[in-house]
Amino acid sequence: MTQPDKNLPRLKTLLAKVRHFDGIQPEVQERLAESAALRRFNAGQVIYLEGEPAESIFIIESGWIKATRISHDGREQALLFLRTGEIFGDVAVFSRAPYPGTVTALEDVEVWMIPAETLLQLTEQYSDLAMAVIRHLGDRVLYYVDMIDDLSLCSVEARLARTLLKHAKVIEGRLIVPRETWTTFDEMAVRLGTVRDVLSRALHTLENEGLLKVERRKIILLDPKRLEERSRV
């Protein structure tokens, strides 16, 4: 475990990036630092499995992770894609339930692990931390409400258009979605709650309409305005 006095500056910096947690008392930050351990996971490595006891919460210092559930027939459904400054494992900890999904590193990641019992004790002692947790869990509920709305009411093309617009970057004057090493068609299908064949047809449909161009290393958004219109259909 990393020494607490070395943990504190890094955790303070990281907590400042975590929505709702930037204002918690210095004493609480110190208590978290005393119990925190920095862990590194390689790309593709499982951080925890669905059904395992919820013994820790995790704060991402660097990298991307995904949380998924897998059906009996092997189909994978994405729950969350999280990056630096985001928390996972907290829903299970505060509901006293096993982890509800499997979390995997999409690239090399560093996470701070905080024991569940430590966080539960601190939330009982400090109201500002308890309120931060409540607001964070409220955000997570709203996220899942939006996910259900997307999966049940929106077409695959609409979900794809929305996702591409969300992750596009301006590169040399064009809107581009870089295709990272882990952003395969299979991973994109998991993100959108569909399968590879359906995703491929959706991409071809949008490409044939002149809205985008799929290349090996990137997806170029040719007509963002019309793509935005498609994201609502």
Side-chain angles (χ1 to χ4, degrees):
M1 183 179 294
T2 311
Q3 292 299 314
D5 59 341
K6 294 182 180 179
N7 290 3
L8 187 55
R10 292 179 67 174
L11 275 180
K12 280 186 174 180
T13 300
L14 184 58
L15 286 169
K17 301 176 183 177
V18 180
R19 181 171 163 80
H20 305 311
F21 280 73
D22 54 337
I24 61 176
Q25 298 176 24
E27 182 180 349
V28 179
Q29 295 178 351
E30 291 169 10
R31 295 278 297 276
L32 291 174
E34 288 171 1
S35 66
L38 185 64
R39 289 284 309 277
R40 295 175 175 85
F41 295 89
N42 297 325
Q45 188 173 355
V46 171
I47 297 173
Y48 59 70
L49 291 168
E50 177 183 343
E52 286 185 354
E55 298 176 345
S56 303
I57 71 155
F58 302 79
I59 307 177
I60 304 172
E61 175 144 316
S62 64
W64 278 80
I65 63 96
K66 69 172 179 178
T68 60
R69 289 178 68 96
I70 300 177
S71 67
H72 293 299
D73 62 2
R75 180 172 172 178
E76 197 175 14
Q77 171 62 55
L79 301 176
L80 292 167
F81 288 83
L82 301 176
R83 67 174 86 190
T84 299
E86 296 188 283
I87 297 174
F88 61 96
D90 51 325
V91 172
V93 165
F94 285 100
S95 62
R96 303 280 189 167
Y99 291 123
T102 295
V103 172
T104 307
L106 289 171
E107 57 188 4
D108 293 348
V109 300
E110 291 185 317
V111 296
W112 289 97
M113 296 174 58
I114 299 172
E117 288 306 315
T118 298
L119 191 64
L120 290 169
Q121 291 170 8
L122 289 174
T123 54
E124 290 179 359
Q125 296 174 32
Y126 298 94
S127 60
D128 60 334
L129 177 60
M131 289 305 301
V133 168
I134 290 169
R135 288 191 291 267
H136 182 265
L137 293 178
D139 282 351
R140 190 59 50 82
V141 170
L142 293 176
Y143 168 84
Y144 285 125
V145 169
D146 287 341
M147 174 186 283
I148 292 169
D149 183 63
D150 261 4
L151 293 175
S152 59
L153 301 178
C154 299
S155 66
V156 174
E157 287 88 352
R159 299 203 298 274
L160 174 59
R162 189 178 304 117
T163 299
L164 292 174
L165 287 166
K166 180 179 179 181
H167 294 283
K169 302 176 182 178
V170 178
I171 301 175
E172 296 180 352
R174 298 188 297 178
L175 271 180
I176 291 175
V177 179
R179 298 184 64 185
E180 309 289 350
T181 55
W182 46 265
T183 313
T184 63
F185 275 13
D186 289 330
E187 290 288 357
M188 290 175 67
V190 169
R191 178 188 289 269
L192 295 172
T194 186
V195 295
R196 180 189 175 97
D197 289 347
V198 174
L199 171 64
S200 182
R201 288 197 295 271
L203 279 167
H204 287 153
T205 296
L206 297 179
E207 192 167 25
N208 289 337
E209 292 177 11
L211 305 185
L212 55 83
K213 181 179 180 182
V214 180
E215 297 186 355
R216 183 177 180 183
R217 295 293 183 185
K218 59 183 178 290
I219 298 174
I220 305 169
L221 308 189
L222 301 175
D223 195 333
K225 183 177 180 180
R226 285 177 57 207
L227 201 60
E228 170 65 29
E229 293 172 355
R230 288 295 254 117
S231 73
R232 298 192 294 268
V233 178

